[in-house]
Each structure stands twice: as structure tokens, then as C-alpha cells.
Amino acid sequence: MRVWVPIDAAARALGADDVADAIRREAAARGVEITLTRNGSRGMIWLEPLVEVEIDGVRMGFGPMTPEDVPALFDPGHPRALGPVDELPWMKAQSRLTFARVGVIDPLSLDDYQAHGGLAGLRAAIAAPEVIVQAVTDSGLRGRGGAGFPTGIKWATVARAAAERKYIVCNADEGDSGTFADRMLMEGDPFTLIEGMAIAGLAVGAVQGYVYIRSEYPDAIRAMESAIRIARGSGVLGTGILGSAHDFDMEVRVGAGAYVCGEETSLLNSLEGRRGTVRAKPPIPALEGFLGRPTVVNNVLSLATVPWIMANGAEAYAAYGLGRSRGTMPLQIAGNVRHGGLYEIAFGLTLGEIVEHIAGGTASGRPVKAVQVGGPLGAYFPPGLFDTPFGYEEFAGKDGLVGHAGIVVFDDTADMRALARFAMEFCAVESCGKCTPCRIGSVRGVETIDRIAAGDLDAIPILTDLCNTMKWGSLCALGGFAPYPVMSALTHWPEDFTGPAHRKEAAE
Amino acid sequence: MTSPAEPVLPNRSRAPELDSDGITRLDAIIVSHRDREGPLLPILHDVQAEFGMIPEGAQPLIAHALSMSRAEVHGVVSFYHDFRDHPTGRHVLRLCRAEACQSVGADALADQVRGALGLDWHQTTADGRLTLEPVFCLGLCACGPAAQMDDRLVGRATTDRVVTLATEAA
């Protein structure tokens, strides 16, 4: 009997370890021989822990499971039976390219990885390294970390730069609330990221890579470290990768709890062992990055998508998407939703389709009030903007951002003034301190919102002016984008700012 | 950078709160990392894992080994939320305060837990048993509110569950 129980941190947070133990105990008690695999999560977090059992060659789902539900797994007619997992509507409607193997394979089995198409991209890249940059450019892949910069152009810059040593740095400092795709990929299919980084190394002539993972992700750190060891032991990393003439090795570096280190220049400083302050650009990291050398800095998802592009062709990837947003985006549906989790789909769905149909509305059953897209620095969208198609330019056109595609839903109990204050407070706490608009502006922002809360409506134009200064005067996206949640809250829900002071407290 | 043949640590009397055993342990950590590219964060992580904090006396020794100024090392230690110059309680409870968890009641949960435990953020119980810390995102945004009791992650956290876990930790 083959059984899968996710080892993903979200599944573990919902009790997957206890369920796995219960399955082993029950199997032993019944004398049933089982092969239990700890897989990644399929992304249906509301069904976690989602146990899969192979029946007549088909993986059948059961969830959400508790240890008490386990004994019945060995009998027919389980009350939590979901049917074939691949046929569930959530799974069927997706286009899983980057996440094709997540939840399917044993994350640390290189055999499993290759049996599901792994290393095909790296083999194609080794066969023709000179075409990698063009293929990535033609695929239309843009930086999935949030900035949306064309990945191929960045790689071409590093490839052209003359230097004795270049680097591939993977930004796995996934600090945005509402995002967990990097974590899920590193825990569920870490070899994909390794393969993507090796391909990047081949493309630009770099032999060393670093994955900078935030310290809040201990499971992902463990998975990546194990996968790197296995890859090195199997010749996927190291001298002469896959028997070729190319060398590439990599290691994990752990962050230390600074949100701003998700910004690429700040991350590079941190990697060098400095304070995570932002660097002014130019010089761009592609020319003067880690230790002053040419460096590719890409998000986990950007790098992890490259193997698919190399294996299946740039055209196949570019066939997905909308406008200048090509390919697929792993949406992370979070917050107050009935169906939260990871949903990879071509760009182009409207925000309303995502929130109403895929997420199924709020978990509380109350009306949706606001949807924050793109993390703590992303704008709050009201239902009136639900017709906005999911794409970089389309969201920018509505004064918002796609960011890392985290989508956080709030019901009508949300206090938008409090959320705007939180955005400024968060910016003040996490500011690296290098530039004045961010360091001082965010503190003034908190104070100004408090004035508005106390009934001083004259402070509203001051807040607007302050946001304008931060937006255009800050050195990086932390201070530059913190105005997005603040101004969107003020623009779309003015009544939350101008209504009676202390209304929330009075209502409680 | 110091060559491997030279002793890593200078005048050891400059680290009063590190005894000779502590200095030996620190020395081993520095030696294991100092030839890496960008060794300081890996060293600080290991020092904190070893000592439960970054002892102030360790900073000049690390600085000397890496040819940095003491101010630079102190600047790094004080910049990052993770690094502490004081120990925590034996157990650490972390509650997520970020937006996705707020949307499902994290603020109310935090208020109730703080009340039940009699602890505010960053405070430790008088007996040194438990420290309460805020965290901004554990990546459990589709099953919030999220909490972490030592290494154990908790999704869809309730006040009862969190307080029970926090109280049971000896």
C-alpha cells in the first residue's frame, strides 16, 4: 500500500506529523505493509493534512485528516474521501509548470525527480549553453519576486560582463505576508531550484550559487541543504556537472529576520556579512553584485521555472499569459478565504475570478471588503476593481502591483485605517535606515494616521503629500511602495478614515 | 583575512564574560566559517545557537578574526532582529502579526494570549521559562492565524491551543 502524507510546513502546522505517525502505527497493528512518502503539498491548504493512498494505480485523496480519521483509511468508504486528487477541480483547472512535481514526488528522491521530467532542462542546457539566454528571453519570463524585470535581459547582462568570478544568487527571503510559494517549492521540489540555478550558472558563466533563505523557514532550509548534498553526491552539482565540462556548486545562506533583505542589494550586503542596507543603483548587481562581481539575483520561482522552459521550449512557455505577462504565475491565495493555497495559472484571470471562484469567497462567510495583492507593500483592491486582469501592467494601471502574487482577502470587519497604519508601522520597523523618506517618512506616517484617527481631518492631505514623497524619494521598494497600501486604503475606503474616531473600539 | 596558521583570537582578556571554554567554542565556530565568502552571518548564527545569544565579548574577537572593526560587527548584530545580546527564556512562543493572519483574527488572538500569559511582546516570564515574540510571516498564510512554539508550527491557532502549548512547555 502506497501512502503520501505531506511534509510541507503548512501541512505540519495542521498536524501532518501526527497523522503520519498514526498511519504507521495503524498499518503495523493491522500487519499491512505500507510505503509512506512525505511529499510536498498539493497546495489545497484547506484540505491539509491531505493524505493520498494509491488505489488501483490512482492516487486517491483523503482530507483534512486527523489521527482519529486514520484507522478508517484501511477500510472502504472513508468519510473524508475526496476521490482522485488529479481530478479535483482545484487541480484540474491549473497549468502547473513550475509546480508540476510539487506534492507529487518525494522531494529528496533524485530518482523520483528524474522520473517526472527532472534534469531534462539541465541536459538540454548543457547540450547547447549558448542558446540558454535567448531561450529565457524568448519565453518572456519576468522576475517573479515582484519587480517583474525580464529575466533574460538580466542574464544577458551578466553573461556579457567580463569577470573571473560571477555568481547566481537566489532570493528566497520570502517575507511578504500572504506569500508562501517559494517555501512550498523549496520544501516540495528543491531539485528544481538547484537545476534552475545550475542552468543560470551555465548561461552566464558562474560557478558558484547561493540561496539566501529567511530564517523563518527552517523546513525549507533543511530541505534545500539536504537536496544540495544529494545533488552534489550524484554529480548534479560540483565539478563537471552531469559529466559535462561545466562546474557549478551552491550553498544555503540563512537570513536573520530583516524584511528589507528581500530587496536585492540589501540581500547582497547581508550575504557579504554586512548590515542589510540598500545600495544605490547604479551600479546594478548584474555588473557589480556579490563582492563587487557580476551577479544574477533572481527569485526562487524565476529560477525554478527555467528548467521547464529549457525542457519544453520558450514558445511553449510564452504561449501562456496575457500581454507582456507571459507564462504562469503561482498565485498564493491567503487570509480570510474558504479555499486558500497555491494555484498556478496563466496570467490573465481577473481578480474577481480568483477571489470569488477559486478562493470561494471568505472563510467567515461575510462579504469581501478588500484584497491586498503583492504583500505588505501592495495595494488594497476593493470589489469595484475585481475586473482587473492579473498581469504586471494591468495591476500597475490600477495603482497596484502583482508583486510575488500573494493575495490576501479581508472581510467587511477589516478596518482600513488600522491596516494603513500597520503598513507605515511595518515600514518604520523594517526600514534599513539608509534613506530619509523611508526612515523618517514611515514614522511620520504612523503619527499622521493617528492624527486622522483622533479626528484631525486636516492631516489627510499631509498624509497624501507624505506618501508622494516616500513613493518618489525612497531608495528602494520598501519606502517606495509602502504608500500603495496606505493610499489605496485612503482612496477606496475614505469613510474608514473620516468616520467617527475610535469607531472600531465603539463597535466592539 | 587571517591566514589559517595564525591563532584566530587576539588578546583573550578582552572578552571578560567568555570563559576559556567559551573562547574555545567561539574559536571553533570562527575557524569553521572564516574562509567562506561572507562569513559573518554564518558565524553569528552558529554563535547564537551555541551560546543562546551573541555575547558582547564575542564581538571584538569575531571582528579581529575577520579583519573588521568592532563597530562593524556590532552594527551587524544590532541590525538584524534575529541576533540578541541577551538570552531568551527556555521556550519561545512566536505569534504572527502580519496581514494574512490579521485577516483571520491574529490581533484578537494576540491580545488574548498576552492576557492569559501575562506577557507583552519581547517579554520573558520571571522564572525564565517562556519568551513571547512577534513574527512577521511564517509562510502559513492560508491557514492562519499562525503561531510557533519552539520548533512546532501551529496553523489555525486558537487561544486555547496556544496557551495550552505555552503552559505545558516546562
Side-chain angles (χ1 to χ4, degrees):
Chain A
M1 185 169 155
R2 288 211 67 184
V3 182
W4 290 262
V5 182
I7 197 165
D8 181 275
R12 294 185 64 222
L14 296 169
D17 291 348
D18 292 342
V19 170
D21 288 345
I23 290 172
R24 286 196 189 93
R25 273 199 310 274
E26 185 70 20
R30 291 181 182 233
V32 177
E33 200 161 308
I34 61 165
T35 308
L36 193 152
T37 302
R38 298 301 299 268
N39 56 335
S41 170
R42 296 276 197 155
M44 297 174 282
I45 304 298
W46 76 98
L47 293 176
E48 294 289 1
L50 171 68
V51 172
E52 294 178 59
V53 178
E54 192 174 76
I55 298 171
D56 299 330
V58 178
R59 286 169 69 158
M60 309 293 279
F62 301 85
M65 291 287 288
T66 64
E68 292 71 42
D69 297 322
V70 164
L73 263 187
F74 294 81
D75 306 318
H78 196 285
R80 299 209 183 273
L82 302 164
V85 174
D86 287 331
E87 301 300 317
L88 293 173
W90 176 278
M91 297 304 299
K92 255 189 122 163
Q94 295 185 57
S95 302
R96 286 206 167 204
L97 313 183
T98 311
F99 276 75
R101 283 176 293 265
V102 175
V104 176
I105 64 167
D106 175 347
L108 295 178
S109 163
L110 202 50
D111 290 340
D112 223 0
Y113 181 67
Q114 294 193 73
H116 288 82
L119 296 182
L122 181 55
R123 290 207 167 89
I126 288 171
E130 68 285 354
V131 307
I132 303 171
V133 171
Q134 194 58 46
V136 172
T137 306
D138 291 346
S139 75
L141 179 67
R142 293 168 68 175
R144 296 291 187 245
F149 188 82
T151 306
I153 293 178
K154 189 182 279 186
W155 288 21
T157 308
V158 178
R160 275 197 307 269
E164 278 192 19
R165 194 164 163 83
K166 304 178 186 179
Y167 298 97
I168 309 298
V169 170
C170 173
N171 182 345
D173 195 48
E174 185 178 49
D176 287 352
S177 172
T179 66
F180 43 84
D182 297 352
R183 179 186 66 66
M184 277 186 59
L185 188 115
M186 290 187 288
E187 291 173 8
D189 191 14
F191 291 125
T192 302
L193 178 56
I194 293 172
E195 185 180 351
M197 289 181 68
I199 295 170
L202 276 175
V204 306
V207 297
Q208 179 65 38
Y210 291 99
V211 192
Y212 184 96
I213 308 178
R214 62 199 297 260
S215 62
E216 292 86 345
Y217 282 180
D219 290 30
I221 292 166
R222 266 197 307 276
M224 281 310 306
E225 284 182 335
S226 302
I228 289 170
R229 260 196 310 278
I230 293 166
R232 206 178 280 143
S234 312
V236 177
L237 289 174
T239 308
I241 55 174
L242 293 180
S244 72
H246 304 280
D247 303 340
F248 188 78
D249 211 335
M250 57 187 279
E251 61 180 80
V252 170
R253 286 296 173 90
V254 179
Y259 173 78
V260 74
C261 289
E263 196 281 334
E264 62 176 359
T265 62
S266 161
L267 185 153
L268 291 170
N269 275 339
S270 183
L271 205 55
E272 290 181 8
R274 302 169 196 275
R275 295 163 68 89
T277 49
V278 172
R279 299 177 185 173
K281 288 189 270 194
I284 55 172
L287 296 175
E288 291 181 40
F290 183 54
L291 300 174
R293 295 167 181 148
T295 304
V296 167
V297 185
N298 274 146
N299 174 253
V300 172
L301 301 181
S302 315
L303 289 162
T305 300
V306 169
W308 194 95
I309 293 169
M310 293 308 298
N312 297 277
E315 270 179 39
Y317 191 74
Y320 294 91
L322 162 82
R324 289 178 51 216
S325 306
R326 307 315 311 172
T328 60
M329 191 75 191
L331 305 174
Q332 298 126 83
I333 300 169
N336 195 335
V337 286
R338 273 181 67 209
H339 299 154
L342 185 128
Y343 195 95
E344 183 177 351
I345 191 83
F347 285 96
L349 284 184
T350 67
L351 184 57
E353 285 171 319
I354 296 166
V355 172
E356 304 291 355
H357 298 136
I358 300 172
T362 62
S364 60
R366 303 181 66 95
V368 174
K369 178 169 181 175
V371 181
Q372 187 176 33
V373 183
L377 308 175
Y380 287 101
F381 279 70
L385 291 177
F386 273 10
D387 58 349
T388 311
F390 210 83
Y392 293 103
E393 281 69 30
E394 291 73 12
F395 266 58
K398 298 285 167 67
D399 289 326
L401 49 123
V402 164
H404 192 47
I407 296 166
V408 177
V409 177
F410 293 78
D411 72 12
D412 63 350
T413 60
D415 177 345
M416 302 312 294
R417 192 193 66 222
L419 287 165
R421 186 187 191 279
F422 179 82
M424 283 293 190
E425 191 185 10
F426 183 74
C427 183
V429 171
E430 297 299 335
S431 176
C432 82
K434 177 139 178 170
C435 74
T436 313
C438 174
R439 183 184 70 245
I440 307 288
S442 54
V443 175
R444 293 288 173 264
V446 173
E447 293 166 1
T448 310
I449 293 171
D450 284 346
R451 276 174 61 186
I452 298 168
D456 179 3
L457 300 188
D458 292 340
I460 289 178
I462 297 173
L463 180 64
T464 305
D465 190 46
L466 176 67
C467 282
N468 197 44
T469 301
M470 289 177 70
K471 183 174 177 181
W472 299 107
S474 297
L475 205 49
C476 83
L478 180 50
F481 288 3
Y484 277 110
V486 177
M487 286 310 298
S488 59
L490 184 60
T491 305
H492 301 302
W493 296 273
E495 66 281 6
D496 280 21
F497 288 77
T498 58
H502 312 302
R503 181 179 45 189
K504 182 165 177 265
E505 289 76 4
E508 282 173 358
Chain B
M1 190 168 284
T2 322
S3 75
E6 287 172 22
V8 174
L9 302 177
N11 181 4
R12 294 178 178 201
S13 65
R14 282 165 62 197
E17 70 274 61
L18 280 183
D19 57 16
S20 62
D21 170 58
I23 288 173
T24 305
R25 288 186 286 155
L26 175 62
D27 202 355
I29 291 170
I30 294 172
V31 167
S32 71
H33 291 298
R34 67 170 174 186
D35 293 329
R36 299 172 78 177
E37 294 177 312
L40 184 53
L41 258 62
I43 288 174
L44 293 176
H45 275 301
D46 279 6
V47 168
Q48 183 149 298
E50 180 73 24
F51 296 92
M53 57 186 281
I54 311 287
E56 199 182 333
Q59 295 186 22
L61 306 179
I62 295 168
H64 181 268
L66 302 184
S67 301
M68 296 172 77
S69 74
R70 188 175 172 175
E72 283 174 304
V73 172
H74 180 74
V76 171
V77 171
S78 59
F79 181 87
Y80 295 96
H81 298 306
D82 281 4
F83 299 134
R84 304 180 294 265
D85 59 2
H86 58 278
T88 59
R90 292 193 297 283
H91 301 279
V92 179
L93 171 64
R94 304 207 287 178
L95 298 177
C96 180
R97 299 193 64 202
E99 290 89 340
C101 285
Q102 286 183 36
S103 77
V104 284
D107 288 342
L109 174 76
D111 288 347
Q112 287 161 10
V113 170
R114 284 187 296 168
L117 299 177
L119 286 178
D120 208 340
W121 301 118
H122 310 293
Q123 287 185 345
T124 302
T125 52
D127 59 1
R129 191 181 62 83
L130 181 72
T131 301
L132 178 66
E133 296 281 358
V135 61
F136 292 91
C137 200
L138 293 164
L140 306 175
C141 319
C143 53
Q148 185 178 15
M149 183 64 212
D150 294 331
D151 291 335
R152 182 174 189 153
L153 296 168
V154 183
R156 294 192 201 106
T158 59
T159 305
D160 282 353
R161 179 88 199 286
V162 171
V163 171
T164 303
L165 283 172
T167 314
E168 281 173 354

